[in-house]
Amino acid sequence: MARPKVPLISPGLVVEAATAILEVEGLHALSLRHLGTRLRVNSASLYHHFASKEDILLAVARAALREITLPPLDADWEGWICENAVAYRRLLVRKPFLLSLI
């Protein structure tokens, strides 16, 4: 079968699908085969965007961390660190599956 001219998946779709699997089924359930099945592609197609499963997990963690809104950095560095810690904790409460990644 010839390679399609338009990619069937994107890195963003892979991260979204991996996140959905992790949220519902947990880290133990995430495999490249399971991810490929969910995306309706051959699991080898994932290597076009990611070098390994670990790279996909890193991309999931980075996408989740981007959800945190960082406070502006000012002279109160202690307050800045505390605000970041609280924001990070809120993220982990919302997405407990991240604990196994981070």
Side-chain angles (χ1 to χ4, degrees):
M1 183 170 170
R3 180 180 290 191
K5 294 190 187 270
V6 177
L8 300 174
I9 58 173
S10 67
L13 285 175
V14 174
V15 169
E16 286 176 23
T19 300
I21 292 169
L22 291 167
E23 285 178 328
V24 175
E25 302 175 52
L27 181 60
H28 67 281
L30 183 68
S31 68
L32 294 180
R33 180 172 292 176
H34 186 36
L35 192 52
T37 300
R38 185 177 189 101
L39 292 167
R40 297 183 182 151
V41 298
N42 186 307
S43 59
S45 299
L46 299 169
Y47 290 109
H48 180 72
H49 299 289
F50 296 95
S52 65
K53 177 182 169 182
E54 288 74 28
D55 284 348
I56 294 171
L57 293 172
L58 182 58
V60 168
R62 286 182 173 177
L65 288 172
R66 282 193 292 276
E67 294 179 24
I68 296 175
T69 302
L70 296 175
L73 184 58
D74 57 18
D76 180 21
W77 62 270
E78 292 161 325
W80 187 84
I81 290 174
C82 288
E83 286 183 49
N84 279 313
V86 169
Y88 184 61
R89 182 184 180 283
R90 285 184 185 136
L91 175 69
L92 294 176
V93 167
R94 275 194 336 268
K95 299 184 179 216
F97 73 89
L98 290 171
L99 288 170
S100 60
L101 295 181
I102 300 174

